[in-house]
Amino acid sequence: MRIRRARPGAAPPASGAPLLCRWDLDKTYLRSEFDSLRSLLRTAFERAEDKVEVPGVAELIRALKAAAERHGRKALVYFVSASPPQIGAAVRKKLALDGVPYDGIVFKDQLAHLRRGKLRNLREHVGFKLAELLRGRLAAPPGAAELLFGDDWELDSLIYSLYADVLAARLAPARLEPLLRRIRVDPGLADEILALAGRAAGGERVARIFINLERRSPPATFRLFGPRVVPTFNYFQTAAVLGAEGYLGAEDVARVGRVLLEGAGYTARGLENSLGDLVRRGFLEPAAAGALGTRLRATGVLPPADGPRARWRRVLGALGRLRRRRRMRAGRAAAGEAPPLDYDAILARLRPAAAAASGRERRGGT
Amino acid sequence: MPTIAVDAMGGDHAPDEVVKGVAQVSLATDIECLLVGDERRIQSVLEGVSYNPEHIAILHATDAIGMAEEPRQAVKRRDASLVVGVRAVAEGRAQALVSAGNTGACVLACARHFRLLRGVRRAALASVYPRQREHGGQDPLALLLDVGATVRCEAEELVHFALMGSVYARRVSKVASPAIGLLNMNMGSEEMKGGEVLVEAHRRLRQLPVVNFVGNVEGNDLVRGRADVIVCEGLLGNVALKLIEGVSEVLYDVTGRAGERRVAWRLGLRLLSRGSERARALTDYTQYGGSPILGFEHVFIKCRGRSGARAVANAVKVAAKAVRDHVPREIADALAAAR
């Protein structure tokens, strides 16, 4: 599967085959607070009724399921969380309260690490998540495409990219092994991952990786991860990209937008600006944004076009779209297929100290 | 929330610092910003910083006016970011414009595309500057106008400037009854000093019940707390403003060099460092962001050319405040009441 920019009216890829949607929980689905020990403890003991979801996320998951059904296939929703299973009951109840249908949820058994005295593993999530994703893949129907959803608090973009490249056989175990060592994944777990990776590799399966910019990280931070990773500032943006790629209909995108308007203090103008931001960042083709915009305007999610000023804006917009389209085409022609990710550069950016140490180690050892 | 157009290409550090300033505003407030300029360059800066896309739109402009360009020729370029921004405000797409660009071009672009308020004959470029406070509750900043939009003025225009400055200080600086001073000589019978125009302006201001006129103020009163708004013709205001800035810069230079020369002086300066930091904070132009061009139907805030992100962010907030508090309408009402 080639990584594509959004196309207007594109059919969902590989229709008939199920769609796997894998979600991180904290900061992606839930607005969990980890900023202080106090907030961490509060999150751990929070009741389901007190947990707050990120605006629009529940509607988006429901819409993904519904849209897949309309296309005659299944969308399977899984949550992979590094939180301990002790909060599982509250999380499951919260998902039920939100009316979110899901097909599985995995927690990280932190108590087991504590009992074994592996304190470093409490904070190391790359190994845990990668292993769980690979296990999930081996249990999934063959040929299923995947959409992955994470956030900018931890290393979701790295974990998901490693996973996607392992599946696509771009990261052979021999190349993955030193990366896991640099990330300081527990050696036992690393061996398990390498074994799973060998079995799971089979083709391009991950269509998109969405990163919820909960911390408002600069989008440029994610350029190293290539066009497969889509950093979004709100779930309306996520829905818009999914809509343009055919995973959702315009009415689904409108529903997500309406949730933000009615329950989260967003404005129609703000959503319009969010759409413009996606176009400028190259994740939505201007034509797709235009088509979607017309439908959303009709449903009141975007502000109405008004009078002579709107005509003036349309003319300017059309010129802008023409210019951007030319630029995008030129960019694509020059780039061709997305180049493989440079994990050394990514790790150096994410963990400069560790990368330097690892570099010294390698120089000393060889 | 108002929409504030921001000339992304104007200023010594544009577009980087301007875009960063707008990004700061987008994270901290609900103000919607319309960045006007080269979309590609703006977007490239934006993606490297934290921002909230819900509050930022971009209006593409292919051209930009340089800081040293001749204003009269420059504003004829219809695709220049400043001109596109002014037009966007005039056509209602935004309610105010902020620019750190070429001052002359800013004033001329406003004059070409904005309508003067009813009764206003000439617009005034104001400057917000720090001054000594006479009492605790006094605003640390004063307003001097005109500082260059109108070189020579009639008495009536000076009266208009006083009314405009009074409204701006009341609404934006929240000074309940701003003290208005007329920049003049102040020896002997003050009413008779300064020539025909100033004498007539003085007489009219004395008779105006809607302004708190405190009489003539001298050059040294500019930096004291005697008046919150000081009115003068553009030539005089510009000279006065540059003098204040020049003296302040020389003072910092001299103290800096003194510290380099002798260890004892360096020690002394170190001991005084908290005080000098406070003085520096007082004269830090970035805290008030920009100064208004008054007299038009729309709000225009002019930032200094060397403005950084913080100054631009504060200028956008000042513009939003002026829009929310209906400063142009208040000025029109004050002028009507004074007629």
Side-chain angles (χ1 to χ4, degrees):
Chain A
M1 187 189 304
R2 196 171 153 228
I3 305 302
R4 301 160 304 130
R5 298 282 187 198
R7 284 200 320 264
S15 60
L19 176 68
L20 292 185
C21 302
R22 318 262 217 139
W23 291 80
D24 176 44
L25 200 61
D26 295 306
K27 307 282 187 188
T28 305
Y29 184 90
L30 291 174
R31 269 192 164 163
S32 320
E33 296 293 336
F34 297 150
D35 305 350
S36 62
L37 188 62
R38 200 173 170 183
S39 55
L40 187 67
L41 284 172
R42 197 176 53 229
T43 301
F45 294 105
E46 218 168 29
R47 295 178 315 157
E49 294 80 3
D50 299 328
K51 290 191 181 294
V52 180
E53 76 280 10
V54 180
V57 66
E59 191 59 49
L60 178 62
I61 295 175
R62 283 195 293 267
L64 275 166
K65 281 253 182 195
E69 262 176 39
R70 285 201 304 271
H71 288 107
R73 63 176 182 166
K74 279 184 101 174
L76 303 167
V77 174
Y78 294 96
F79 290 94
V80 180
S81 171
S83 293
Q86 286 72 21
I87 67 159
V91 168
R92 285 188 186 93
K93 195 172 170 197
K94 168 67 180 162
L95 291 169
L97 284 173
D98 292 346
V100 168
Y102 65 97
D103 301 275
I105 185 163
V106 182
F107 294 100
K108 186 177 176 185
D109 192 356
Q110 299 283 36
L111 265 183
H113 292 302
L114 213 58
R115 273 198 298 269
R116 284 183 217 132
K118 294 191 168 183
L119 297 182
R120 229 189 57 74
N121 285 5
L122 294 175
R123 289 179 59 86
E124 200 291 297
H125 304 320
V126 177
F128 160 75
K129 281 198 174 178
L130 195 50
E132 287 305 329
L133 288 168
L134 289 166
R135 272 191 211 108
R137 181 74 220 179
L138 290 169
E146 293 201 36
L147 296 172
L148 307 175
F149 301 85
D151 59 73
D152 59 345
W153 271 79
E154 286 169 340
L155 298 169
D156 287 345
S157 46
L158 171 68
I159 297 165
Y160 288 158
S161 295
L162 286 170
Y163 171 65
D165 281 343
V166 163
L167 293 191
R170 273 192 296 269
L171 262 184
R175 174 77 186 104
L176 180 62
E177 194 264 331
L179 292 175
L180 295 177
R181 209 171 51 225
R182 277 179 73 182
I183 300 164
R184 301 177 71 193
V185 172
D186 179 76
L189 189 56
D191 290 343
E192 200 181 332
I193 291 168
L194 293 171
L196 289 166
R199 289 164 56 204
E204 290 278 10
R205 295 286 179 252
V206 176
R208 286 284 192 193
I209 297 167
F210 290 96
I211 297 296
N212 175 36
L213 296 174
E214 214 270 343
R215 299 173 89 168
R216 301 275 184 232
S217 302
T221 318
F222 297 90
R223 274 197 202 126
L224 282 173
F225 293 99
R228 181 173 51 201
V229 170
V230 185
T232 56
F233 288 92
N234 53 52
Y235 279 115
F236 174 73
Q237 285 195 329
T238 311
V241 174
L242 289 169
E245 299 198 341
Y247 293 100
L248 295 178
E251 65 281 6
D252 302 313
V253 182
R255 274 209 304 279
V256 174
R258 206 166 295 121
V259 167
L260 300 190
L261 290 178
E262 289 165 4
Y266 283 71
T267 63
R269 182 71 67 200
L271 294 186
E272 190 179 46
N273 289 341
S274 293
L275 210 57
D277 175 70
L278 276 179
V279 175
R280 290 194 302 270
R281 288 198 281 131
F283 290 113
L284 257 191
E285 293 245 7
L292 189 61
T294 308
R295 301 281 297 276
L296 295 176
R297 243 175 265 286
T299 57
V301 170
L302 295 188
D306 43 1
R309 252 194 304 135
R311 280 200 294 276
W312 171 78
R313 283 167 68 174
R314 273 201 297 274
V315 173
L316 275 183
L319 287 172
R321 281 195 290 277
L322 204 67
R323 189 169 36 78
R324 280 194 291 268
R325 200 177 306 161
R326 268 210 308 266
R327 204 165 64 220
M328 283 173 96
R329 274 189 197 139
R332 272 204 302 273
E337 286 279 338
L341 300 190
D342 181 352
Y343 283 103
D344 291 323
I346 290 171
L347 290 182
R349 167 78 72 86
L350 292 174
R351 297 183 169 181
S358 154
R360 279 197 300 275
E361 207 173 87
R362 267 181 296 164
R363 277 195 299 276
T366 52
Chain B
M1 267 294 152
T3 300
I4 310 298
V6 181
D7 172 14
M9 313 309 285
D12 296 341
H13 308 297
D16 294 38
E17 290 299 313
V18 181
V19 174
K20 284 176 189 170
V22 166
Q24 285 175 14
V25 172
S26 77
L27 291 171
T29 73
D30 286 340
I31 300 167
E32 189 180 326
C33 292
L34 179 66
L35 276 162
V36 188
D38 184 331
E39 188 186 72
R40 211 163 145 187
R41 288 182 67 191
I42 293 171
Q43 186 61 25
S44 134
V45 179
L46 209 50
E47 285 187 40
V49 296
S50 295
Y51 69 100
N52 182 350
E54 291 140 38
H55 300 149
I56 298 177
I58 298 179
L59 180 59
H60 182 67
T62 50
D63 197 0
I65 295 173
M67 297 299 279
E69 281 190 63
E70 204 285 303
R72 231 168 264 282
Q73 289 303 314
V75 294
K76 288 180 185 163
R77 302 212 304 266
R78 289 181 61 80
D79 292 328
S81 58
L82 172 67
V83 179
V84 173
V86 170
R87 278 211 314 269
V89 174
E91 289 165 10
R93 184 159 181 193
Q95 283 78 55
L97 180 70
V98 170
S99 176
N102 183 318
T103 305
C106 287
V107 175
L108 278 177
C110 287
R112 273 174 169 241
H113 297 280
F114 290 171
R115 272 203 304 239
L116 282 169
L117 288 164
R118 195 159 171 239
V120 173
R121 282 168 45 173
R122 284 169 192 266
L125 174 60
S127 180
V128 179
Y129 68 95
R131 50 88 186 263
Q132 197 179 30
R133 288 195 282 191
E134 279 195 336
H135 53 85
Q138 205 173 20
D139 192 51
L141 304 170
L143 193 70
L144 176 69
L145 76 167
D146 173 38
V147 294
T150 306
V151 178
R152 296 281 179 201
C153 300
E154 299 296 320
E156 191 182 356
E157 287 152 9
L158 289 172
V159 173
H160 289 170
F161 293 173
L163 284 162
M164 295 193 293
S166 177
V167 168
Y168 187 83
R170 208 168 56 234
R171 303 306 299 192
V172 177
S173 308
K174 305 293 177 202
V175 182
S177 176
I180 310 290
L182 184 65
L183 190 58
N184 199 345
M185 298 184 293
N186 197 9
M187 296 175 293
S189 171
E190 64 172 29
E191 288 86 350
M192 306 309 292
K193 297 290 179 188
E196 201 179 308
V197 170
L198 288 175
V199 169
E200 175 62 10
H202 190 282
R203 188 187 66 76
R204 287 196 191 189
L205 285 169
R206 272 260 175 265
Q207 289 168 355
L208 262 186
V210 289
V211 295
N212 173 22
F213 183 53
V214 294
N216 286 349
V217 291
E218 291 180 281
N220 56 352
D221 286 325
L222 281 172
V223 287
R224 292 202 177 131
R226 201 174 153 217
D228 300 302
V229 177
I230 293 172
V231 174
C232 60
E233 61 181 15
L235 181 70
L236 184 58
N238 195 278
V239 171
L241 183 70
K242 299 292 172 194
L243 187 66
I244 296 170
E245 289 177 358
V247 168
S248 161
E249 278 165 20
V250 167
L251 201 65
Y252 282 123
D253 268 12
V254 168
T255 11
R257 270 187 225 152
E260 285 165 18
R261 279 194 187 168
R262 289 192 187 175
V263 178
W265 287 357
R266 200 177 306 151
L267 273 171
L269 285 170
R270 185 63 61 85
L271 287 171
L272 289 170
S273 62
R274 277 187 68 183
S276 64
E277 280 306 312
R278 283 176 65 182
R280 198 181 284 270
L282 185 73
T283 55
D284 178 14
Y285 72 93
T286 61
Q287 65 177 318
Y288 55 84
S291 301
I293 299 179
L294 297 170
F296 292 110
E297 280 185 342
H298 303 286
V299 174
F300 189 108
I301 301 294
K302 170 72 184 73
C303 303
R304 293 181 179 221
R306 61 174 190 266
S307 289
R310 183 172 179 239
V312 172
N314 284 333
V316 171
K317 289 178 197 165
V318 165
K321 202 193 233 185
V323 170
R324 269 198 303 262
D325 289 345
H326 309 290
V327 166
R329 201 181 66 200
E330 291 264 330
I331 290 175
D333 291 348
L335 286 165
R339 274 200 290 272

